[in-house]
Amino acid sequence: KAGVTQTPRYLIKTRGQQVTLSCSPISGHRSVSWYQQTPGQGLQFLFEYFSETQRNKGNFPGRFSGRQFSNSRSEMNVSTLELGDSALYLCASSPSTREFYSGANVLTFGAGSRLTVL
Amino acid sequence: AQTVTQSQPEMSVQEAETVTLSCTYDTSESDYYLFWYKQPPSRQMILVIRQEAYKQQNATENRFSVNFQKAAKSFSLKISDSQLGDAAMYFCAYRKQGAQKLVFGQGTRLTINP
């Protein structure tokens, strides 16, 4: 079974540009979450999607947005990039079982997209 | 808001020895889940072990075990017979009942000395 696939793995942008990152969850998983990882702030929750609906959102400015498609693939977009947006962006998927909110429901992470803003 | 604290930014251990990584958390919830994730240089976050707060028995996965002290809000990870492949960043994480969002600690970088 293929894991969580994130593309692109690396990208370099300049301030003011926008970027779109893609995440393909494990087949059959309908929940996708996004996290930002930086040396200073650590791992911070961005959003959570389930069945194309945003269920939860972290404390990030409106420049950060996301969406989920009917095939459960998800994208996140960052507009008007700032230097501080340089980070590893991690996507995680989880199954939509009866134990959706139980400890049995574990997030599986992708390898991340490394964004550098110059 | 829930917080997770890992007080050891770095730890090192000799191969085949035992090491314990510390984690404390703060929550007013009674039902929640705790996790240890490992992030090697490849950046892939891998689940090491999980613990349901309602279970008194400490979780164990092969060489990995936890010491869960609910009253003290402590959740330490013990790695026995350390191997070179255990070298990684280790993150403690919390998730409350009814939510998918994980709250992570700052991480502990574990080095294994041959």
Side-chain angles (χ1 to χ4, degrees):
Chain A
K1 206 174 196 181
V4 179
T5 303
Q6 292 189 245
T7 56
R9 291 290 307 275
Y10 301 90
L11 66 167
I12 299 173
K13 294 285 187 178
T14 56
R15 279 181 298 174
Q17 287 187 310
Q18 74 164 13
V19 66
T20 298
L21 308 178
S22 178
C23 172
S24 294
I26 291 172
S27 178
H29 285 195
R30 291 166 61 193
S31 173
V32 173
S33 302
W34 288 88
Y35 291 81
Q36 181 197 62
Q37 185 176 19
T38 60
Q41 299 298 315
L43 282 148
Q44 293 187 288
F45 171 78
L46 280 159
F47 346 86
E48 175 206 340
Y49 288 89
F50 179 76
S51 292
E52 303 178 65
T53 300
Q54 186 180 89
R55 284 181 168 247
N56 199 358
K57 188 178 191 302
N59 189 25
F60 279 82
R63 300 185 297 105
F64 290 80
S65 63
R67 58 179 176 170
Q68 186 180 32
F69 301 95
S70 58
N71 62 357
S72 295
R73 190 177 69 86
S74 177
E75 287 182 349
M76 65 163 284
N77 183 277
V78 187
S79 62
T80 319
L81 284 166
E82 301 177 0
L83 295 178
D85 298 332
S86 294
L88 179 65
Y89 290 88
L90 292 168
C91 169
S93 74
S94 59
S96 52
T97 64
R98 215 166 29 146
E99 297 80 26
F100 184 67
Y101 287 117
S102 78
N105 194 23
V106 175
L107 273 65
T108 301
F109 285 83
S113 292
R114 170 78 67 187
L115 170 65
T116 301
V117 182
L118 302 176
Chain B
Q2 295 87 10
T3 58
V4 177
T5 302
Q6 293 178 249
S7 59
Q8 307 153 314
E10 295 184 356
M11 292 280 285
S12 63
V13 64
Q14 291 294 126
E15 193 176 4
E17 296 292 305
T18 295
V19 63
T20 299
L21 308 184
S22 300
C23 173
T24 58
Y25 58 94
D26 187 26
T27 183
S28 58
E29 305 285 336
S30 58
D31 290 331
Y32 51 87
Y33 308 95
L34 297 165
F35 306 85
W36 278 98
Y37 278 89
K38 164 186 175 181
Q39 187 179 40
S42 66
R43 307 179 328 204
Q44 186 105 28
M45 197 78 77
I46 302 164
L47 177 69
V48 174
I49 199 166
R50 63 175 179 241
Q51 174 81 42
E52 289 88 345
Y54 64 85
K55 289 187 177 178
Q56 292 186 334
Q57 186 174 7
N58 289 324
T60 299
E61 290 285 344
N62 300 313
R63 297 183 295 107
F64 300 87
S65 61
V66 299
N67 183 4
F68 173 49
Q69 302 289 327
K70 190 173 184 179
K73 296 180 181 174
S74 170
F75 183 60
S76 61
L77 174 69
K78 185 172 83 171
I79 306 174
S80 303
D81 185 26
S82 298
Q83 300 175 1
L84 295 178
D86 295 334
M89 281 290 289
Y90 284 81
F91 291 94
C92 179
Y94 163 99
R95 194 181 86 209
K96 71 177 183 179
Q97 171 69 27
Q100 281 284 81
K101 170 186 170 182
L102 287 171
V103 177
F104 287 92
Q106 288 293 99
T108 296
R109 182 175 301 281
L110 178 64
T111 302
I112 311 295
N113 300 312

